Amino acid sequence: MTASLPVALPSDGLPAPSPRLRTGPKHWLLIGLLLVALLLIGVYSDSILASITSLWQQALAAAGLSRVADAMQQGINGGITKRPLPAVATYAVLYLSICLALLWLVLLPMQWRMAWKLYVGALLVYVAITLLGKLAGNVQWAYRLSRQVLDFVISPLPVAGLYVLFRAGFGPQPARPTTTLPIDSVSE
């Protein structure tokens, strides 16, 4: 009598069904709304930044922190931004939030986690280059490079690129379903 050990075999070679349950008209409507929001934020970025800047200036003035904000802005290299730092950070968080929400809706959960890690990694590269430029005595090449990294991250290119790459099969993919058969039923 032969031993009967379980062996995992692909069931039919087809990809496993998506573990995501988010589908239907509401899902696609939300994706469409986020795409329109990304388009509008990109087209009207100057107006949006001006509004955010005004709101921050009013909030800082009401809190009595206008001088502190002005002093902080003096330490920021003009190659990074000519706008107040709180306004630029608010715009970046708004834009990145929409990008990540869109990716969350169109990617599988494991792919979204990978996309999140790539975004965090790119932002850490931006911070590292900016700090390197500051420590090296405000060298212009570092500020220009960090600005290019930030401009890339806060654009629709990573969203489109990650979507295409993950849908083309790069990156994490769902596991294929397996069937367990006894070892004595496997032919050689």
Side-chain angles (χ1 to χ4, degrees):
M1 182 163 204
T2 61
S4 182
L5 297 173
V7 176
L9 298 173
S11 63
D12 56 3
L14 296 174
S18 171
R20 174 170 296 154
L21 299 175
R22 296 172 280 184
T23 57
K26 290 180 183 177
H27 174 79
W28 293 109
L29 177 65
L30 187 54
I31 290 172
L33 289 172
L34 288 172
L35 285 171
V36 168
L38 268 184
L39 175 69
L40 292 175
I41 286 174
V43 169
Y44 297 107
S45 62
D46 289 335
S47 300
I48 292 169
L49 274 166
S51 298
I52 293 171
T53 299
S54 175
L55 288 172
W56 270 108
Q57 287 171 341
Q58 291 171 7
L60 291 171
L65 298 173
S66 294
R67 289 187 183 159
V68 173
D70 291 340
M72 282 179 53
Q73 193 68 27
Q74 296 302 320
I76 303 295
N77 184 299
I80 292 178
T81 183
K82 292 173 178 53
R83 299 185 188 272
L85 195 56
V88 172
T90 302
Y91 178 84
V93 167
L94 173 67
Y95 198 93
L96 288 174
S97 297
I98 293 172
C99 290
L100 289 170
L102 186 57
L103 286 171
W104 182 76
L105 288 170
V106 299
L107 296 177
L108 298 171
M110 67 187 111
Q111 293 170 337
W112 186 86
R113 283 189 295 277
M114 173 74 76
W116 168 257
K117 290 175 185 176
L118 290 170
Y119 266 93
V120 168
L123 290 171
L124 289 174
V125 166
Y126 161 74
V127 169
I129 294 171
T130 303
L131 290 175
L132 177 68
K134 191 75 166 167
L135 292 173
N138 293 327
V139 292
Q140 288 300 314
W141 67 266
Y143 287 118
R144 283 194 298 271
L145 181 59
S146 68
R147 179 60 196 215
Q148 289 174 351
V149 169
L150 188 61
D151 285 344
F152 174 74
V153 171
I154 302 175
S155 76
L157 291 175
V159 174
L162 288 170
Y163 176 76
V164 169
L165 286 173
F166 287 146
R167 290 298 176 170
F170 296 98
Q173 298 297 319
R176 293 182 179 205
T178 58
T179 304
T180 304
L181 299 174
I183 197 162
D184 57 352
S185 67
V186 177
S187 61
E188 294 183 41

